[in-house]
Amino acid sequence: MATESKSLETTKAAQTYISELSRHVGKEVVLKGWLYNLRSSGKIVFPQLRDGTGIVQGVALKNTVTPEVWEALQGLGQESSLIIRGTVRADERAPGGFEVDVVDAQVLQQVHDYPITPKEHGTEFLMDQRHLWLRSRRSHAVLKVRHTIVQAVRNFFDNDGFTLADAPILTPAACEGTTTLFEVDYFEGEKAYLTQSGQLYNEATAAAFGKAYCFGPTFRAEKSKTRRHLTEFWMVEPEMAYASLEDVMSLAERMLSNVAARVLADRAEELKVLERETSKLESIRIPFPRLHYDDAVKMLQEGHAAGALESRFEWGGDFGAPDESYISNRFNKPLMVHHYPASVKAFYMARDPERAELALGVDVLAPEGYGEVIGGGERATSLEFLKEQLALHKLPQEAFEWYLDLRRYGSVPHAGFGMGIERCTAWMCGIEHIRETIPFPRMLYRIRP
RNA sequence: UCCGCAGUAGCUCAAUGGUAGAGCAUUCGGCUGUUAACCGAAGGGUUGUAGGUUCGAGUCCUACCUGCGGAGCCA
């Protein structure tokens, strides 16, 4: 239910954004946005305007505005689009510190039935209304933090000598397992899949640029229904030629501490909206604790003996969610667990020369139960070893010939990692659900809106 | 795929097996400083679907549907 406004004359006026109001105190400005909330008290109304950069309260008195303006503001519903002309005034009573004394107002569209009210709502309902929920303070704050994380990550790599060289999204074969691929039926005589990692292509670009990274969407057809999973998520993957496991761990901790510092500096307001304890982010500083898989297993077995864990963890397995939480909760910083058994890691992982059963891999486990945010390691360099591994993992060698070429022509030690942007965002924001960290989440049982 | 939980007004939730209710939202009225404003009034329901038990089912039973949480797997 909506009524169109007839005259849009004032839309031509130069717009001031709410975030810039401090520079316009005492001056007249034109604000263009949407009604966040309206309160009225007889002969005074308080329209709260939202414009994407902030929220500000306007004040209109019946005897200081024209009858037309007064009438236009009466009974205006949430998210009505409108333009306000008024004078900026510093006011301690206002949440943002400023108010606007309304001189003129132009309603572009009156709205009366906006579905998201200022009261509580369930997640299912809000997710169905995601296209509108994005306008809320909370979504706005989370996505602003995401934006800053992406920006910080890219700046970090750009300033560290990395070249952005994106990996393809349509691929002919799996990078890791074949069970979690989305199949695309388009290329003649051949099946294609949506990428589940840019990893293998990064190894090619690292050999071309020395240090390269890709940043893009990733698809996993996992039947996972947890707060840590999306079927479509964004991943940043750096890869370095002439680099070791040690180099990758150092890169990961430098990047994460850099990102945390950026979020603290640029998104203080948003962290406040999200009621995030900033001390948790302040502790994300170099160096991060490092734990050998053997020692992690010992820690888990002691945990079981002390009654903190239900089942006794045996050497050789991969950690389950409760195991991860138990270990990472013993540290107040991100924890780097390295030297996993090769059997639980991907085929391209390099082996520990001293102990062939160990892979030179590392997982970075975020504190507070956020789990694995980074996975990476050193890659195998030997052509023969990789051929064996492909066979062992029952992967078709023809599909990987181009990859094997990287070992035929100038094979060097190299290493890299992948970080899930959404998991990182959920952690920095301190929110329960990863699905709030992406504008339009795709999950098992959710492809709309 | 497996285990557990839930579906009642637009939304969030109540309702011993006995007349289906409240707050918010909406509509109307009141209020010159409201902060999820407040006060008064009105409209709003095939209780997820289909069966069953019962004099009587929102409530008990069965199946299905939808969603949520977790496991496995992963970032």
Side-chain angles (χ1 to χ4, degrees):
Chain A
M1 203 171 86
T3 328
E4 296 294 332
S5 172
K6 288 184 189 92
S7 160
L8 297 176
E9 199 176 357
T10 50
T11 60
K12 289 171 194 153
Q15 176 178 11
T16 300
Y17 286 101
I18 292 169
S19 58
E20 304 167 333
L21 284 183
S22 62
R23 300 208 301 267
H24 293 82
V25 177
K27 291 178 196 155
E28 193 174 274
V29 295
V30 172
L31 302 174
K32 304 181 178 184
W34 297 263
L35 190 72
Y36 190 73
N37 200 0
L38 182 77
R39 296 187 198 87
S40 69
S41 181
K43 304 206 166 47
I44 185 168
V45 290
F46 301 96
Q48 287 191 323
L49 194 77
R50 176 186 73 71
D51 75 349
T53 73
I55 296 171
V56 71
Q57 175 165 283
V59 184
L61 293 161
K62 189 174 185 181
N63 57 18
T64 61
V65 296
T66 64
E68 290 74 31
V69 169
W70 180 256
E71 196 51 44
L73 292 174
Q74 294 307 302
L76 211 51
Q78 214 185 329
E79 292 302 321
S80 294
S81 41
L82 74 160
I83 294 168
I84 284 176
R85 188 157 58 84
T87 312
V88 184
R89 175 169 44 75
D91 193 315
E92 282 188 5
R93 290 169 292 188
F98 302 99
E99 276 190 350
V100 173
D101 289 318
V102 177
V103 175
D104 194 6
Q106 175 87 39
V107 176
L108 275 67
Q109 188 186 41
Q110 272 184 37
V111 175
H112 287 294
D113 46 9
Y114 188 67
I116 304 176
T117 65
K119 287 280 176 180
E120 311 130 25
H121 300 282
T123 321
E124 188 194 344
F125 171 77
L126 289 170
M127 272 301 165
D128 285 339
Q129 310 291 331
R130 182 58 172 172
H131 50 297
L132 302 175
W133 189 26
L134 292 172
R135 304 177 186 189
S136 76
R137 257 193 165 107
R138 178 184 167 87
S139 298
H140 189 268
V142 172
L143 293 175
K144 277 288 192 179
V145 172
R146 178 196 170 99
H147 164 75
T148 296
I149 289 171
V150 171
Q151 194 178 41
V153 160
R154 296 185 72 141
N155 281 344
F156 174 83
F157 288 121
D158 294 347
N159 294 333
D160 210 55
F162 282 78
T163 299
L164 176 70
D166 285 318
I169 289 165
L170 288 166
T171 61
C175 286
E176 315 196 356
T178 48
T179 52
T180 63
L181 290 167
F182 282 101
E183 205 174 290
V184 178
D185 185 18
Y186 173 77
F187 297 92
E188 277 182 36
E190 191 177 9
K191 276 172 183 158
Y193 307 92
L194 297 181
T195 181
Q196 55 183 182
S197 165
Q199 157 67 36
L200 302 184
Y201 295 95
N202 275 346
E203 296 188 38
T205 56
F209 297 98
K211 294 200 274 187
Y213 73 103
C214 68
F215 183 91
T218 303
F219 307 86
R220 302 269 169 96
E222 290 161 356
K223 301 283 182 209
S224 301
K225 294 200 301 182
T226 79
R227 68 185 79 168
R228 299 184 309 280
H229 286 87
L230 294 171
T231 52
E232 179 183 317
F233 64 98
W234 286 67
M235 189 153 68
V236 61
E237 296 173 275
E239 189 75 24
M240 303 177 286
Y242 289 105
S244 64
L245 171 63
E246 181 59 36
D247 295 327
V248 149
M249 291 199 278
S250 151
L251 183 73
E253 65 182 358
R254 279 197 299 125
M255 184 200 70
L256 278 177
S257 57
N258 203 285
V259 166
R262 205 61 270 150
V263 169
L264 279 167
D266 293 0
R267 300 269 80 104
E269 202 55 44
E270 284 77 8
L271 293 175
K272 206 183 290 170
V273 168
L274 296 168
E275 294 173 339
R276 179 56 163 153
E277 251 183 88
T278 49
S279 65
K280 304 277 190 192
L281 301 190
E282 279 154 11
S283 64
I284 306 174
R285 284 213 191 117
I286 289 174
F288 295 170
R290 299 175 187 205
L291 193 64
H292 193 284
Y293 177 85
D294 289 349
D295 298 322
V297 171
K298 251 179 240 160
M299 198 176 272
L300 286 171
Q301 290 175 344
E302 283 163 16
H304 174 250
L309 285 166
E310 253 179 60
S311 54
R312 183 181 157 87
F313 189 88
E314 295 303 333
W315 195 98
D318 204 355
F319 304 133
D323 306 317
E324 263 184 23
S325 297
Y326 178 79
I327 308 172
S328 59
N329 282 338
R330 317 204 55 159
F331 301 86
N332 62 352
K333 281 185 174 193
L335 170 69
M336 303 202 281
V337 181
H338 53 86
H339 286 85
Y340 282 81
S343 56
V344 301
K345 291 289 171 188
F347 78 92
Y348 49 72
M349 282 286 190
R351 299 300 175 88
D352 183 344
E354 314 281 309
R355 288 169 64 187
E357 76 277 18
L358 295 181
L360 296 179
V362 58
D363 282 354
V364 180
L365 307 180
E368 304 172 76
Y370 282 97
E372 187 183 343
V373 289
I374 286 179
E378 198 172 322
R379 324 303 185 186
T381 52
S382 152
L383 177 63
E384 287 315 309
F385 175 81
L386 281 172
K387 280 184 184 170
E388 283 167 25
Q389 289 302 311
L390 286 173
L392 219 63
H393 285 80
K394 299 195 166 62
L395 294 167
Q397 191 181 312
E398 323 80 80
F400 292 88
E401 282 301 333
W402 70 267
Y403 179 69
L404 295 174
D405 269 357
L406 303 174
R407 272 63 179 183
R408 291 186 181 108
Y409 306 108
S411 187
V412 300
H414 61 290
F417 67 75
M419 179 175 81
I421 292 297
E422 290 78 13
R423 282 191 184 175
C424 181
T425 305
W427 168 34
M428 299 278 165
C429 291
I431 61 174
E432 280 285 300
H433 291 275
I434 195 175
R435 63 184 160 202
E436 285 184 61
T437 63
I438 186 165
F440 297 97
R442 293 293 174 255
M443 300 176 288
L444 189 63
Y445 307 133
R446 173 157 311 268
I447 192 165
R448 291 190 175 81

